Amino acid sequence: MTGSSSRIGSWHLLQLVCGVLLVLLLCKKFTGQAGHFYPSLYRSPELKKVLPPVEARGPQDPVMERMEKARQRVNSVKLLCWVMTGSDTINTKGRAVLETWGSQCNKLLFMTSVNDKTQLPGTVALPGVGEGREGLAGKSKEAWRYVYKHFRSDYDWFYKCDDDTYTVVENLKLMVSGLQMAKPYYLGFPLHKKVEWLSGGAGYILSGASLSLLEQQMSSPSNCMESGVKAVGGTSEDQLISHCLRRANVLITSSLDAHGKNRFLPLTPELHLLKGAMAKTEYKWILDVYSDRRSKQIEGSECCSDLAISFHYITADAQRTLHYLVHRLHVFGSWLSDLELPEIKTTLAS
């Protein structure tokens, strides 16, 4: 949401190439020679969580039947997504979210502070909060309280990100489809500097139970956001939210995939995929404070899960480019189109 994205603009062509390569790798994983769908799909540790056990295969291997059961389980996840935005970016970056991945959320909200009729459907003008980085903590607090007040009983999972975050919602739903929303979960990209927190830009997700516990802390006379400023040594909204959840004994759950690779990524694809690229930018500090040491690495060819969920600092144009690469580009001979989840009808706030 800052001017940082302009400094990454020169990477757009490289980002396009990286996106194509990622799609090609996915195609290779799920297809074999002559375009046949290989049963190696069942060896994926991620899909084992949602696919029934493999039975003895006859002449007609019921692959699609098994995938349909997986779709049904993933599609049963009721997900609310709220996007941190502002009056200066809602009609550019926010609109790009609405026109791309946002349509896959069951509920999509844009949290800002200005009630402007030109803004997008789903916009919530939060009272008493400011714009700019100095207003993010207050805006986040009021946004979470708004979500709790109006939607806590309607959805199972609650996802927050910025308007320059690209999210693969289907992969997000896959990750949480094997978890119980009645238990306190808090998942994202972990960082540690004095205390541990999850990156707000990479996006993080709360279960229904965690949302209720967060509301209890925020409504308590001992304001967790105010006390958190001293505890975390700053006013960063993602650090303060982590502080409130920690006070409620909601601990960070690892979101690494079965191969120890990250699903939530706080930077653009190329800064993660290209070894050494991150160290040449203002984001090199992430290399020092990334806290999940079970991960193999956060840069280079092994940085990112094949079922990655999010990338950050994505411009409006890059949102649309990535969306095409992820959802529309197919390779002849593959059956990727058969693996797509059904379209989800999104409801927007009036």
Side-chain angles (χ1 to χ4, degrees), residues 142-156:
E142 293 306 317
W144 279 119
R145 300 203 70 184
Y146 179 91
V147 166
Y148 176 82
K149 179 179 179 181
H150 295 281
F151 301 110
R152 67 182 183 275
S153 300
D154 299 326
Y155 301 94
D156 304 327

Side-chain angles (χ1 to χ4, degrees), residues 286-340:
I286 292 177
L287 295 168
D288 298 323
V289 299
Y290 173 61
S291 63
D292 198 332
R293 298 305 174 187
R294 288 169 292 181
S295 172
K296 295 179 180 179
Q297 54 185 307
I298 61 172
E299 59 173 354
S301 60
E302 297 297 311
C303 69
C304 314
S305 173
D306 290 349
L307 292 166
I309 290 170
S310 66
F311 292 96
H312 189 212
Y313 295 120
I314 308 298
T315 65
D317 289 342
Q319 291 267 10
R320 295 181 173 92
T321 302
L322 279 174
H323 198 68
Y324 165 76
L325 293 170
V326 170
H327 288 279
R328 292 178 54 195
L329 177 63
H330 299 307
V331 176
F332 176 74
S334 76
W335 285 19
L336 278 181
S337 59
D338 292 326
L339 300 180
E340 292 177 354

Side-chain angles (χ1 to χ4, degrees), residues 17-33:
V17 174
C18 290
V20 172
L21 291 175
L22 284 173
V23 172
L24 291 175
L25 287 172
L26 285 171
C27 292
K28 182 178 180 182
K29 178 179 289 291
F30 291 130
T31 59
Q33 295 178 353

Side-chain angles (χ1 to χ4, degrees), residues 79-83 93-110 120-122 159 161-163 165-170 172-173 319-320 323 327 343-348:
L79 175 68
L80 181 147
C81 306
W82 73 263
V83 179
K93 295 177 181 178
R95 184 170 296 281
V97 169
L98 177 65
E99 294 175 355
T100 57
W101 64 264
S103 64
Q104 293 299 312
C105 300
N106 299 96
K107 186 76 174 181
L108 178 64
L109 301 173
F110 294 94
L120 305 179
Y159 173 66
C161 67
D162 291 348
D163 59 7
T165 307
Y166 183 82
T167 305
V168 184
V169 176
E170 297 88 343
L172 178 59
K173 287 189 169 189
Q319 291 267 10
R320 295 181 173 92
H323 198 68
H327 288 279
E343 183 177 356
I344 300 165
K345 185 176 181 180
T346 303
T347 57
L348 298 170

Side-chain angles (χ1 to χ4, degrees), residues 79-82 84 136-137 140-141 143-144 157-162 165 167 172 175-176 185-190 197-207 214 218 225 236-242 245 252 255 264 309-310:
L79 175 68
L80 181 147
C81 306
W82 73 263
M84 181 84 79
L136 291 180
S140 184
K141 176 184 177 181
W144 279 119
W157 295 88
F158 303 86
Y159 173 66
K160 177 269 171 189
C161 67
D162 291 348
T165 307
T167 305
L172 178 59
M175 180 186 71
V176 300
Y185 285 103
Y186 173 42
L187 303 104
F189 184 84
W197 77 98
L198 295 182
S199 166
Y204 57 86
I205 187 168
L206 303 181
S207 62
L214 178 62
M218 288 182 167
M225 297 290 278
S236 172
E237 65 90 13
D238 45 12
Q239 288 183 315
L240 294 177
I241 294 298
S242 287
L245 288 166
I252 294 171
S255 61
F264 296 86
I309 290 170
S310 66

